[in-house]
Amino acid sequence: MAIIGVPADWPADEAAALAVQHALRGRLVLDEDGPPVGEGHVTGLDVAYDDARDLVAAAAVVLDAGTLEVVEEATAVGRVSFPYVPGLLAFREIPTVLAALDALTADPGLLVCDGYGLAHPRRFGLAGHLGVLTGRVSIGVAKNPFTFSYEQPGGERGDFTPLLAQGEEVGRALRTRRGVKPVFVSVGHRISLANACAHTLALTPRYRIPETTRRADALCRRALAEARG
DNA sequence: GCGACAG
DNA sequence: ATCTTGTCGC
């Protein structure tokens, strides 16, 4: 598989990335409800790295939203486009993720990202960024609370508490499995927080992490291993 | 100034 | 994210 390069116009440093983030942030749509749960497609996106070899592999896995069966898979391998900087994760993942999305023939439907959307220092995390660039509905489901604060939600699946940034609800700590650490859901683009959580619950009938992310995680690791040779 | 900090 | 074996438990 061909290795895609870093886009010519990609931000070269933090200052440039912050400027792009600021410009794109204005295109975020936060007043839509998003698609109903269980209909159409849901697409999981994830990335794996080999910094030593300057490689990044991305996977996009399209699932039937009703049955959670795999409809289509696609991968892309690229060059690392940015170092990991908290708050600028999108610049590290997006070029390769977009290439994987472009390789799909099926309608991706709702994009489920491994990270944050609105829950971000400047309210524009990976999910929002990807949503704006593609025009698609997106949500972010992260495994860690980043810098935000939250109270421990109740122990039952579906229980949640607000994820707070200076008192503002930027997402939710959502319990997807009883007695297991919650996941951290935030809105990406064109969807409400309540609906983002409803989708997350529909994607976690068995494990803490959404089926979309689990599948994409396994696939991008495989793609990276193949790229290594 | 120092530490924390999605993946 | 990644470096990494076995192991306890359902």
Side-chain angles (χ1 to χ4, degrees):
Chain A
M1 175 183 283
I3 295 180
I4 66 162
V6 178
D9 60 348
W10 206 244
D13 54 39
E14 293 188 29
L18 287 170
V20 170
Q21 211 166 57
H22 182 76
L24 294 181
R25 171 68 176 78
R27 298 198 216 164
L28 204 52
V29 173
L30 299 172
D31 61 358
E32 291 184 17
D33 294 330
V37 171
E39 293 177 22
H41 292 165
V42 240
T43 294
L45 304 167
D46 196 17
V47 166
Y49 300 96
D50 185 336
D51 286 288
R53 300 188 204 207
D54 188 37
L55 287 178
V56 46
V61 180
V62 184
L63 304 185
D64 178 296
T67 64
L68 301 190
E69 308 248 301
V70 177
V71 170
E72 187 182 3
E73 300 181 326
T75 62
V77 176
R79 245 63 239 212
V80 172
S81 54
F82 211 82
Y84 172 64
V85 179
L88 297 177
L89 177 66
F91 294 91
R92 186 165 166 77
E93 313 216 325
I94 279 183
T96 317
V97 167
L98 284 179
L101 272 175
D102 283 344
L104 293 172
T105 58
D107 179 339
L110 171 70
L111 304 182
V112 181
C113 302
D114 185 22
Y116 280 119
L118 243 208
H120 178 274
R122 293 167 293 282
R123 306 292 176 271
F124 197 64
L126 174 63
H129 198 139
L130 203 54
V132 166
L133 292 186
T134 60
R136 297 185 177 286
V137 182
S138 64
I139 68 174
V141 181
K143 300 180 284 296
N144 295 293
F146 202 10
T147 60
F148 306 105
S149 59
Y150 68 101
E151 299 292 319
Q152 208 55 234
E156 294 300 316
R157 169 173 155 83
D159 287 345
F160 66 88
T161 52
L163 188 63
L164 303 171
Q166 299 122 207
E168 172 194 357
E169 183 179 40
V170 294
R172 284 177 183 171
L174 176 66
R175 190 87 65 189
T176 54
R177 302 300 304 163
R178 67 180 313 185
V180 172
K181 175 180 173 176
V183 294
F184 304 88
V185 180
S186 64
V187 154
H189 187 54
R190 303 176 53 198
I191 189 170
S192 68
L193 180 55
N195 198 16
C197 287
H199 274 98
T200 301
L201 284 173
L203 292 169
T204 49
R206 170 136 195 179
Y207 299 102
R208 175 173 86 111
I209 302 301
E211 213 52 43
T212 36
T213 300
R214 288 168 43 78
R215 289 239 158 78
D217 178 73
L219 182 56
C220 68
R221 285 177 200 249
R222 261 181 275 148
L224 183 63
E226 284 177 30
R228 282 167 162 148

